[in-house]
Amino acid sequence: MNEAVAPDVDPGDLLDRSRFPVDPWALTESRYSDADLGTTETLFAVANGYLGMRGNVEEGRDSYAHGTFINGFHETWPIQHAEEAYGFARIGQTIVNVPDAKVIRLYVDDEPLLLSVADLLEYERRLDFRTGEYTREILWRTPAGKRVRVRSSRMVSLTERHLAVMTFEVTMLDDAAPVAISSQILNRQDGEDEYHVAAKAMGEGVDPRKAERMNRRVLEPIINRGNAESHRVELGYRCVDSGMTLAVAADHVFTTTSAYESSVVTDDDLAKVVYRIEAEPGVPISLTKFVAYHTSRGVPPRELIDRCGRTLSRAVRGGIDRIRADQADWLDNFWACSDAELEGDDELQQALRWNLFQMAQASARAEGSGIPAKGVTGSGYGGHYFWDTEIYVLPFLTYTRPAAARAALRFRYQLLDAARRRARELSQCGALFPWRTINGEEASAYYAAGTAQYHINADIAYALSQYVAASGDRDFLIRVGVDILVETARMWADLGFWQDSEFHIHGVTGPDEYTTVVSDNLFTNVMARFNLAQAARVVQELADVDGPEYDALVARLELGDDEVAEWQRAADAMAIPFDDFLGVHPQDLHFLEREVWDLENTPLAKRPLLLHYHPLVIYRFQVLKQADVVLALFLQGELFTDEQKRADFEYYDPITTGDSTLSAVVQSIMAAEVGYSDLARRYFVNALFVDLADRHRNTADGVHVASAGGVWSALVYGFGGFRDHGGRFTFDPRLPADWSALTFRLTIEGTQVRVTVRQGEIEFVVEAGEKVDVEVRGVSVQATADGPVVIALADQGPRIPGDPQPVAGRRRADGSVIGAIVPGT
Amino acid sequence: MNEAVAPDVDPGDLLDRSRFPVDPWALTESRYSDADLGTTETLFAVANGYLGMRGNVEEGRDSYAHGTFINGFHETWPIQHAEEAYGFARIGQTIVNVPDAKVIRLYVDDEPLLLSVADLLEYERRLDFRTGEYTREILWRTPAGKRVRVRSSRMVSLTERHLAVMTFEVTMLDDAAPVAISSQILNRQDGEDEYHVAAKAMGEGVDPRKAERMNRRVLEPIINRGNAESHRVELGYRCVDSGMTLAVAADHVFTTTSAYESSVVTDDDLAKVVYRIEAEPGVPISLTKFVAYHTSRGVPPRELIDRCGRTLSRAVRGGIDRIRADQADWLDNFWACSDAELEGDDELQQALRWNLFQMAQASARAEGSGIPAKGVTGSGYGGHYFWDTEIYVLPFLTYTRPAAARAALRFRYQLLDAARRRARELSQCGALFPWRTINGEEASAYYAAGTAQYHINADIAYALSQYVAASGDRDFLIRVGVDILVETARMWADLGFWQDSEFHIHGVTGPDEYTTVVSDNLFTNVMARFNLAQAARVVQELADVDGPEYDALVARLELGDDEVAEWQRAADAMAIPFDDFLGVHPQDLHFLEREVWDLENTPLAKRPLLLHYHPLVIYRFQVLKQADVVLALFLQGELFTDEQKRADFEYYDPITTGDSTLSAVVQSIMAAEVGYSDLARRYFVNALFVDLADRHRNTADGVHVASAGGVWSALVYGFGGFRDHGGRFTFDPRLPADWSALTFRLTIEGTQVRVTVRQGEIEFVVEAGEKVDVEVRGVSVQATADGPVVIALADQGPRIPGDPQPVAGRRRADGSVIGAIVPGT
């Protein structure tokens, strides 16, 4: 039993429901608190995959971390290694906290509204999953005793990539008063002041998961302009080292029948429009603030300001109602394709929709960029792209928003040349994608848990193949995908070597970062096998046709005569370690020789392990940060028997800490498949609330986007029992006993099918398109637009009581008993 | 055959003999060159183990790196890891380049003497191994055509720890001229200007072996004073971060019969005395400069200046002749105890004496400090102490200067508390000595090749036991040594674990840094076994006596009842991997599973590998930076059969790059033992010339002290066939066929015996003390003061023709043939 990751708690206990009431279509907060500002700033962030604004209070303070982020907009810096070596990552890349356009300060009788000290007679804020708008309504009793109604809203457009819109409405309820509203764009110089607070909040320890902090000016001011007539303000910057450029501008529409005057002030780091109103009681004062951000690799800020102007003019012309309507339309469409429903459980339903909504916010307008580990909701992991995208986010996109999946894969293709260069640096052929990057250059400064994760190559090949199979987008495969497949396969063929008639891969790290630089990591080998075989298959198919596409491919990639055969040979002979006595797949060739870490008796105060033990200590043990073999069982499930899956799951589950949020969803899927139904449900609940209940104590740094995507996978692959191996779409459901129905949508080859799993049946309803061919437990099923298809289910798969037993206590081949210890005790 | 490390070159070709003529008692340079300034600055350095001055030209330029170093005088700084993790080294430590008192500038007719452009009619400089003085004599034709004789000398006292003395004598030969001599102490702010040149000289690449560079002021100026009457100047500093303090002062004795005047100037970074002379032809101008350095962990510089004053007053009072006499006496004594002679080969003899002289310069007055990897001749490796001291330097000291060995071991004892803390950080019991350090804190910023080298613990235990056995210093063992033995043994007992009735040690790195973080590294295991058994033996012996010493030990170390038995059990059951088919000991449990690096076909331009391949690439292969198993065969030789030694040597030799200078000497010793006589000689010659011929292209960073010590070991253990396992002193000589005689001295239990190996005999002559018991090829021999003992030798051990064959081409158990590749080709 894994107390830290799959505790047996009621979901209702995870959130304080007196503060966050249950609502299946919104996250609502009914009481202000500054005790967990970092978390709520993340939970209430609004974003569109390009532009993200944290849920900071309108007034600009207090905050854990002010944050406005633009996907891919980053500063670079030379990585200083404490001890240098050849080939170490050289170019640090960190997402920039861009000028903050969220700030709208309010003064009544010259007294500022400051939530942390204000006498709030009423308070509510809300992030609505259908309107895509963040709203706040408060009733403030000023120090002078005057009641003021303040309504505000904030939205990042899901249809206009560069646009955000805010409203701010103030009404004096009882008395007249001088009111001032200061609408600002404030360049906080990348939040220098805030990280101090953040660091204190984390305690004294180090945390490698946080973004680098710059100790210098990052944004060089180029332009600041304000127009006193139109109330438009504009700021333009250039990143000192990366040379990337940015412009931000705001237009203001102000209405009130009270008397007022306004002024505009701009300087290097501030642009503001200030309204001073002689507010009469009962007369609303209303401000609408249209904000546009444009960024570039190097276009002069002046030109970006022009682009902002066009965005703003169009927005103001259309008006806020039009923008709101577009936003709602976009989300209607999103939910129509992507919604998943848990019948009868509004608590889980709310959490589920919050996670799916994060998928929209992380990907809607990502377009030419990747999807950072935190989306654009925080600076955690420096705004970098990881394998998270391919393995945890892309399945959702592939099956609900294929165009977004395609865009994310195309982005990888843009980085192919950099990956080729990186392969050379690592003395390899083909291409080696960087472990973490924004601009394509490897930015992982710790190779053992970074560059050594060669599996990134296969993860990309896997997601690509999954997308092509699900979408039927052969054009993408021929024009883009095959180049990635070939170059990644070449890397594997060169990296591995032959011994004992097997193909081995040494000196790599698998997904589990608590064991590094090993031989024949199972996950890496099975995924490399897939990569090699897939490249061979695709190229062979083109060769068989022998048309101009093949000729172009051979010329473009200088394809050798025997390359395809070589990849296939390597794939066929890939070493897959297996321990006959224990009946399990070792995580790597020598994993089972290690001592076993006694997780059961490790105090929770020592978790996550990475913050309490030297890597050398952790690496010496059988202990996992995250699913590794178990992830292989999922992604390459057709290559393992049911018995193997159960044995492997039972072995690895008790030694998996789940210190990475990437773990719970995978453990949930495989727990469901092998029959640990209750454990699957608990893992799933934990994943649902990773951020909502701040389960990893770092939600403040941004949404765990991969976990949010994994929630969908856990639902669809885990409980829905969906699989897509080898271009087949199969179902073998695993609905928990106490769930009445689970519904989700899949778009397969252009047809959208709604799938509902109930205890006794599975139903397919084609919601858009013609038909789709699937299998349910070996039986072919065709769902068509003609009407629902219902297949009866005898059961929900095997049910194993309890949880897997600890590894310690088992016997080895020599009869000795496996022990377990907690290091340092 | 290992072309890079053991090439078949004539020693005479390694040095340009027209520039560096053969002289068995001195290194002489007869032609100035600025093409290899860095190398010659190192070769001509003068030092006493506390204070070291590089062989920079007196005039203060040109230089590769000005350098004056004081053992242990260091600055600290927080190590910034590019990616942080728990337990990573935190406190960087770097030896400080202290204010340069070597500078004596000369101007004739206001024209400066600058060797690089001067018209030098005569030039010679010389480092004399018997006088311990560096001298230079030049005849300069000034731009105005005047001939000037300039004689100078420089000496760091081997008897007065804090003292250096320089002389500078100028004579106008033909014409009168205004002459100015400016004697300076110049704080160059840690050579900021020079590293740029150094970096350029190295090319663009990174080199982890270089010292950290500070980008700030290190020495905060506290005092500067000059006395115009006495010509004494004084400077005092404090290190900004470490708080260490330093004072340097100089007294001047100036004589000439020409008219002159003088002035004294001091500021924060410069103190100088300037003499302006109306020089008459033929009249010598003579300056003697006495310099004292005192340092402390924190005593105010004012007090250190007082100490300098006392040092200087005593030196001036005694006069330079007295100092010179003391220096020569000290060296007479040194050579009497430490000299080794290679009959009839002055080229090798000169190189050998240069290496032994470096031992004197590295250790003479090290006293309370350790012995840095570069002594005090350069800033390479940051002035840190490594295992180099214990394994490569201490054997020489133990057998020729036991008091110096004792001091070095006592220094480790001073670091024991820090080692205890470090063990806790690594979740271990007992003590874990840092891989590299000055102040006792781990300073290795790359744990895979640093902290992971747990064997440092056993190396210290080994050297300690060796010293105690050779010296008979039981008092040291009881008061100091046993604490180290117990605490290191505790670490091993806790680090390892039981499996299959064997005691295993996982997650460590052996001496070879081209394979890291492995299981059951053979070297580590056999050395840990020694450490555990030795601790058990010593404690058991004390327990058997059951006196107050044992009671004190139990109380002091809180010794548990069953600890000794536990250490012995672990030692007895230590896992020693062996491959039955290949008949060799794998370097670690899984070493033989790796691919074999084809060194024979790796271009020399790609050497050393560490500067051309990513660590992940190197680690993936069977390829060694330095001897690992082969070092174990030497240090724990009684535990291996002759057959095993030969098989292991033949396997590892062809895959050992020797990219570390620690390798050649060990390969030489074991080549000699197993019978590769010619290879042994070639390795030895290579080691002899590591610095003299700049074989590793980084002599500029300082003397390879461990290699210099290893030269002695190669001679005594290798060709002399000396061994000291288990308190026995045995000889099984291996004199190369073309050597007529080899002589060396050993001090054993207070008796100094001269050993001479000739082709047909070995002779023992007691030079001091009573008697010594040794064995020659199994026969007990007692040498006494009564006269020489000569034992006939039938041969010089086995002789195997040629060199070991490459690993590739051998067959494995399954019949397959081992291949080899060069990565990236």
Side-chain angles (χ1 to χ4, degrees), chain B residues 259-279:
Chain B
Y260 76 95
E261 56 186 19
S262 66
S263 61
V264 170
V265 176
T266 70
D267 65 22
D268 279 355
D269 291 313
L270 177 65
K272 63 178 174 182
V273 181
V274 181
Y275 300 90
R276 281 173 299 276
I277 308 107
E278 294 305 323

Side-chain angles (χ1 to χ4, degrees), chain B residues 104 135 283 303 352 418 439 460 512 538 566 630 684 710 730 737 742:
Chain B
I104 302 175
T135 53
V283 176
E303 187 175 332
L352 173 58
N439 65 11
I460 292 168
D512 167 31
V538 169
E566 184 194 339
V630 170
F684 175 71
T730 65
L742 158 66

Side-chain angles (χ1 to χ4, degrees), chain A residues 174-236:
Chain A
D174 314 306
D175 308 278
V179 168
I181 298 173
S182 174
S183 168
Q184 308 187 347
I185 305 176
L186 177 57
N187 179 28
R188 298 174 192 272
Q189 293 213 48
D190 313 297
E192 280 245 330
D193 52 330
E194 306 169 336
Y195 279 90
H196 184 62
V197 180
K200 277 206 305 193
M202 283 295 294
E204 283 299 307
V206 297
D207 190 342
R209 301 166 301 186
K210 290 197 169 292
E212 286 287 331
R213 178 178 164 182
M214 305 268 179
N215 288 311
R216 59 165 170 87
R217 186 177 258 279
V218 169
L219 292 174
E220 178 193 5
I222 305 292
I223 303 179
N224 69 78
R225 280 196 317 217
N227 184 315
E229 301 298 304
S230 70
H231 297 180
R232 176 176 289 182
V233 288
E234 299 162 326
L235 295 172

